[in-house]
């Protein structure tokens, strides 16, 4: 298994709960290395572009409205099998189905306001990382 990167977002409701530090601690405890991070208040255009694959779906407008309702934290996490391991600790998209101890079980408020995002494949991860970070904003560990 090779080292992968995945794109993680702490959505506006997670940031509003002052849970940034607690969630970052979960990432680090789970063995992820943070190699990039920034706080952003997304514009409607940025949010629509990020979720372009969902354009036209019934939840799209609500999702975009939620994602621009407050600041988000965007980060790149690195580990072996990062995409799948990160999705495991996030839990199911619908928090009603999220296993105890997952981020969505602990921080989600609803299906839409489900606290966290994670890339769903290595291909999505590459596209999503490039959407938010230039190469010189990614800082692999040197020690
Ligand atoms: P994400 O992209 O945020 O990591 O979540 P995901 O892969 O588990 O879910 P996805 O199917 O990509 O949906 C993106 C986000 O849209 C919102 N959603 N709301 N109310 C609804 O029916 C509904 N369905 C999806 C969620 O915020 C979901 O994370
Ligand atoms: Mg998704």
């Amino acid at each position: 298994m090779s080292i992968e990167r995945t794109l993680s977002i702490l959505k506006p409701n997670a940031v509003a709960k002052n849970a940034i530090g607690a969630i970052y601690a979960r990432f680090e405890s789970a063995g992820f290395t943070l190699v990039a991070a920034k706080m952003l208040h997304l514009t409607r255009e940025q949010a629509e572009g990020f979720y372009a694959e969902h354009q036209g779906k019934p939840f799209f407008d609500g999702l975009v409205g939620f994602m621009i309702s407050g600041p988000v934290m965007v980060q790149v996490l690195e580990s072996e099998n990062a995409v799948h391991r990160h999705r495991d600790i996030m839990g199911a998209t619908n928090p009603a189905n999220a296993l105890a101890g997952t981020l969505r079980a602990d921080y989600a408020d609803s299906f839409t306001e489900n606290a966290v995002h994670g890339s769903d494949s290595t291909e999505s991860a590459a596209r999503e990382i490039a959407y938010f970070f230039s190469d010189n904003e990614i800082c692999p560990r040197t020690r």
Side-chain angles (χ1 to χ4, degrees):
M1 193 59 75
S2 58
I3 297 292
E4 279 178 8
R5 289 176 180 168
T6 193
L7 191 280
S8 154
I9 302 178
L10 309 190
K11 295 183 179 183
N13 63 323
V15 173
K17 291 175 187 186
N18 279 340
I20 296 169
I23 297 174
Y24 273 33
R26 299 257 196 123
F27 292 152
E28 293 187 328
S29 299
F32 293 98
T33 303
L34 274 141
V35 295
K38 59 174 76 165
M39 181 177 275
L40 295 171
H41 194 140
L42 299 178
T43 65
R44 182 171 294 280
E45 292 65 34
Q46 276 177 309
E48 287 177 350
F50 182 73
Y51 282 120
E53 67 186 298
H54 295 307
Q55 200 126 28
K57 295 183 184 172
F59 62 82
F60 182 75
D61 289 346
L63 173 61
V64 169
F66 164 56
M67 290 299 290
I68 66 175
S69 67
V72 298
M73 285 297 304
V74 187
Q75 45 282 325
V76 179
L77 306 179
E78 196 174 80
S79 77
E80 286 196 359
N81 202 18
V83 170
H84 286 105
R85 291 187 57 246
H86 180 228
R87 288 185 76 85
D88 281 347
I89 69 166
M90 287 198 300
T93 307
N94 182 347
N97 301 325
L99 296 178
T102 61
L103 292 169
R104 283 169 168 158
D106 290 342
Y107 295 105
D109 294 300
S110 68
F111 202 152
T112 294
E113 301 203 3
N114 61 1
V116 288
H117 163 84
S119 308
D120 61 12
S121 65
T122 52
E123 293 75 22
S124 300
R127 175 174 52 76
E128 292 175 358
I129 291 168
Y131 192 80
F132 286 114
F133 295 96
S134 56
D135 286 348
N136 66 4
E137 291 176 314
I138 297 177
C139 306
R141 292 298 153 83
T142 54
R143 54 183 289 178

